[in-house]
């Protein structure tokens, strides 16, 4: 897989799945625009050590103007955005009747609306070059629900709907749009849920086991590296007719 000369923008790529995907794309030769909060320097250094040129932009995915600045900075720095990975996401767990309204708004903005904004702004350049890959990191929760995750489930179902619409609007072009739907991946987003369970009962090991046993028949976490390999495949020529899919990698979660 050779992505030399291509530029990838991965939102929320300072941690977890986004960083795992950025590392794989850099290994294949792509230039990377990273985005997200936290330990930015470590993320930039890790991706730089895998090859290609790397920059970071601090846009907050809740803010359309900042998203526009991220797209313009990527184009100014690298000349194009060829691969767009909409990955930034947050979680909050609570029943609907006590779900904090500001958390609902933030989840819809970051997990769903930001992909609309990045896509609408990156598409004209992709159309001009007649090549592009848009990869939306949805979730098994884009295809099935769990209690307590109304905003997340609604956003991820919406993201799969957006994926299908975009795939149809670009169907006769060299641009493809697909969603990846991971099951449990051991990242800070999931560690928080394990910590909450451990605090309620049992220890960390028990909480980790129970979390997997409830949903993921393999009893193993999916890894960011494995998701990075799937993203690489979606960037390949072999995946040119893979359009509008919601591809789960979930240890058997959705087979049940
Ligand atoms: P993570 O917490 O490790 O990473 C989230 C990333 O998003 C970080 O880089 C963070 O800085 C960034 N981010 C958060 N809010 C942001 C904002 N307002 N603006 C810009 N960046 C922001 O989480 P993760 O588990 O790697 O999740 C990445 C994606 O994968 C999310 O969309 C999540 O819903 C999805 N996902 C995760 C799992 C899992 O089990 N971890 C499963 C299915 C889907």
């Amino acid at each position: 897989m050779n992505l030399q000369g291509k530029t990838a923008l991965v939102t929320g790529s300072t941690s977890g799945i986004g960083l795992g995907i950025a590392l794989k794309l850099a290994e294949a030769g792509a230039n990377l625009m990273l985005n997200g909060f936290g330990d930015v320097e470590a993320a930039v250094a890790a991706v730089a050590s895998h090859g290609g040129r790397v920059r970071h932009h601090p846009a907050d995915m809740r803010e359309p103007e900042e998203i526009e600045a991220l797209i313009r900075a990527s184009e100014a720095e690298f000349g194009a955005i060829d691969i767009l990975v909409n990955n930034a996401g947050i979680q909050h767990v609570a029943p609907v009747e006590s779900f904090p309204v500001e958390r609902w708004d933030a989840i819809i903005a970051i997990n769903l609306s930001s992909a609309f904004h990045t896509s609408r702004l990156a598409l004209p350049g992709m159309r001009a070059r007649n090549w592009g890959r848009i990869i939306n990191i949805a979730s098994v929760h884009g295809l099935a629900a769990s209690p307590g995750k109304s905003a997340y489930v609604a956003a991820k179902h919406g993201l799969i709907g957006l994926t299908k619409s975009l795939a149809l609007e670009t169907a006769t072009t060299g641009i493809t749009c697909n969603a990846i739907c991971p099951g449990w991946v051991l990242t800070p987003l999931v560690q928080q849920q394990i910590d909450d369970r451990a605090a309620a009962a049992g220890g960390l090991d028990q909480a980790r086991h129970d979390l997997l046993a409830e949903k993921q028949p393999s009893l193993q976490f999916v890894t960011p590296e494995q998701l990075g390999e799937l993203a690489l495949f979606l960037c390949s020529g072999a995946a040119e007719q893979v359009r509008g899919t919601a591809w789960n990698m979930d240890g058997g979660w959705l087979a049940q």
Side-chain angles (χ1 to χ4, degrees):
M1 185 75 201
N2 187 352
L3 294 177
Q4 294 277 347
K6 302 271 191 235
T7 293
L9 162 60
V10 185
T11 68
S13 44
T14 49
S15 162
I17 295 168
L19 181 55
I21 291 174
L23 289 168
K24 287 289 174 194
L25 295 175
E27 228 171 69
N31 299 320
L32 260 298
M33 178 60 93
L34 304 182
N35 157 259
F37 309 137
D39 198 345
V40 170
E41 269 180 34
V44 169
V47 175
S49 74
H50 280 59
R53 288 164 58 209
V54 191
R55 291 284 181 276
H56 171 267
H57 191 282
D60 184 333
M61 289 294 117
R62 283 171 296 198
E63 304 295 338
E65 305 77 33
E66 293 188 31
I67 294 172
E68 180 149 14
L70 164 66
I71 298 293
R72 299 299 167 233
S74 305
E75 290 172 338
E77 182 66 34
F78 297 114
I81 298 168
D82 303 293
I83 300 163
L84 168 63
V85 183
N86 290 307
N87 167 81
I90 59 168
Q91 176 62 287
H92 186 87
V93 182
V96 167
E97 62 270 35
S98 57
F99 208 94
V101 171
E102 60 81 20
R103 287 285 84 194
W104 172 278
D105 289 343
I107 288 175
I108 299 298
I110 296 167
N111 297 19
L112 174 58
S113 301
S114 75
F116 159 68
H117 292 299
T118 54
S119 300
R120 75 182 168 82
L121 294 163
L123 265 170
M126 290 180 178
R127 283 193 191 278
R129 292 180 298 281
N130 197 33
W131 197 92
R133 293 290 186 265
I134 300 178
I135 301 173
N136 293 325
I137 306 306
S139 167
V140 285
H141 284 116
L143 297 163
S146 295
K149 298 185 175 174
S150 54
Y152 189 86
V153 167
K156 295 298 187 180
H157 275 69
L159 187 57
I160 291 177
L162 174 65
T163 302
K164 291 177 182 174
S165 287
L166 256 164
L168 292 182
E169 290 183 17
T170 54
T172 59
T173 75
I175 304 162
T176 72
C177 179
N178 291 285
I180 292 177
C181 300
W184 292 126
V185 188
L186 192 53
T187 67
L189 184 142
V190 165
Q191 188 61 47
Q192 181 61 51
Q193 295 173 60
I194 293 171
D195 293 346
D196 292 347
R197 279 170 179 255
L204 272 177
D205 287 346
Q206 188 64 41
R208 204 175 292 119
H209 174 269
D210 291 351
L211 183 100
L212 285 169
E214 253 174 33
K215 301 279 190 186
Q216 199 144 304
S218 67
L219 300 179
Q220 310 242 17
F221 288 102
V222 180
T223 68
E225 293 73 25
Q226 291 164 342
L227 291 162
E229 293 286 352
L230 179 52
L232 264 187
F233 169 70
L234 290 174
C235 291
S236 72
E240 200 170 272
Q241 294 309 319
V242 180
R243 292 171 184 263
T245 60
W247 191 321
N248 47 311
M249 184 186 272
D250 63 4
W253 183 321
L254 291 177
Q256 299 167 99

